[in-house]
């Protein structure tokens, strides 16, 4: 898909339109055909996003915490050709309008100087929480195991600590103060 355009977005200025364009542009559709020939066509779709309410306590992981061995193996797995890719600050900034990126990057560097490492470690923590040491070792050794259950995977997301939540709230406050937006929880 190409030449993607935002027709409408709720909460303008928060980057949802730009993020939606990226999501849609990364999608695949079957080409329209006329007399068997692929033909360009306009497609209309909708991308919905859920904005977390940073004032609510996130759900806490209720399972056992991983051992250091499991965490070390999970970090090796993540390092293998992005076996479980992670977000980076630069990827997050690609979803923001271009003219706002430098300002937001500076705020992130100030408020969350280690955010890339936090984002990089998140899938390792998730893997260590939901996979056995044997499965993690199998992946490190080049073997294949079943992917974790998606619901368990989401539940195993690492929770932001209070300092991270405070920084994210301040980042949102600055953003909305600067660009006059109303960030409303959904």
């Amino acid at each position: 898909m190409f030449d993607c355009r935002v027709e409408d977005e709720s909460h303008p200025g928060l980057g949802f339109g730009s993020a939606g364009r990226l999501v849609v542009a990364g999608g695949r559709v079957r080409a329209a055909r006329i007399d068997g020939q692929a033909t360009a066509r306009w497609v209309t779709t909708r991308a919905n996003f859920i904005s977390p309410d940073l004032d609510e306590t996130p759900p806490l992981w209720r399972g056992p915490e991983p051992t250091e061995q499991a965490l070390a193996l999970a970090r090796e797995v993540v390092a293998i050709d992005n076996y479980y890719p992670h977000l980076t600050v630069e990827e997050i900034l690609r979803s923001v309008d271009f003219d706002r990126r430098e300002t937001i990057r500076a705020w992130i560097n100030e408020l969350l100087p280690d955010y890339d490492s936090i984002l990089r470690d998140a899938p390792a923590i998730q893997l260590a929480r939901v996979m056995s040491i044997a499965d993690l070792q199998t992946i490190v050794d080049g073997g294949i195991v079943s992917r974790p259950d998606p619901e368990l995977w989401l539940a195993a997301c690492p929770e932001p600590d209070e300092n991270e939540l405070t920084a994210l709230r301040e980042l949102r406050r600055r953003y909305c103060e600067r660009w006059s937006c109303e960030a409303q929880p959904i």
Side-chain angles (χ1 to χ4, degrees):
M1 306 238 308
F2 61 96
D3 195 19
C4 298
R5 299 177 188 160
V6 176
E7 290 182 7
D8 185 35
E9 74 181 293
S10 59
H11 307 304
L14 291 178
F16 292 122
S18 296
R21 277 196 321 264
L22 289 173
V23 168
V24 172
R28 297 177 73 187
V29 294
R30 184 174 296 155
R33 297 193 176 275
I34 296 178
D35 296 327
Q37 297 294 322
T39 306
R41 291 281 189 234
W42 285 103
V43 175
T44 301
T45 189
R46 180 183 185 117
N48 293 316
F49 297 92
I50 297 173
S51 176
D53 184 352
L54 298 175
D55 295 322
E56 286 185 16
T57 305
L60 299 176
W61 169 246
R62 299 197 189 287
E65 284 304 321
T67 64
E68 285 302 317
Q69 180 186 11
L71 200 49
L73 284 168
R75 287 181 176 125
E76 284 185 57
V77 169
V78 170
I80 299 171
D81 295 326
N82 285 324
Y83 189 84
Y84 276 92
H86 62 277
L87 277 176
T88 65
V89 170
E90 289 307 311
E91 288 168 334
I92 292 169
L93 289 173
R94 278 190 220 126
S95 68
V96 175
D97 290 340
F98 185 78
D99 62 329
R100 300 176 183 190
R101 291 180 190 172
E102 287 306 314
T103 301
I104 296 168
R105 182 181 289 113
W107 290 341
I108 291 173
N109 289 339
E110 174 195 342
L111 298 168
L112 295 158
D114 295 327
Y115 205 43
D116 267 325
S117 62
I118 291 168
L119 294 170
R120 185 180 334 71
D121 213 32
I125 293 168
Q126 286 175 278
L127 282 171
R129 284 177 169 177
V130 301
M131 291 188 136
S132 69
I133 289 176
D135 281 350
L136 292 167
Q137 187 65 58
T138 298
I139 297 168
V140 168
D141 293 340
I144 298 173
V145 300
S146 299
R147 295 252 182 189
D149 172 74
E151 286 185 32
L152 182 61
W153 178 254
L154 286 175
C157 249
E159 304 80 22
D161 65 23
E162 194 54 44
N163 291 334
E164 190 179 340
L165 280 173
T166 299
L168 290 169
R169 286 183 191 112
E170 175 61 15
L171 183 63
R172 181 175 65 182
R173 186 198 66 72
R174 290 181 187 185
Y175 186 101
C176 291
E177 181 179 272
R178 172 84 178 256
W179 286 290
S180 303
C181 66
E182 293 289 326
Q184 301 288 331
I186 294 175

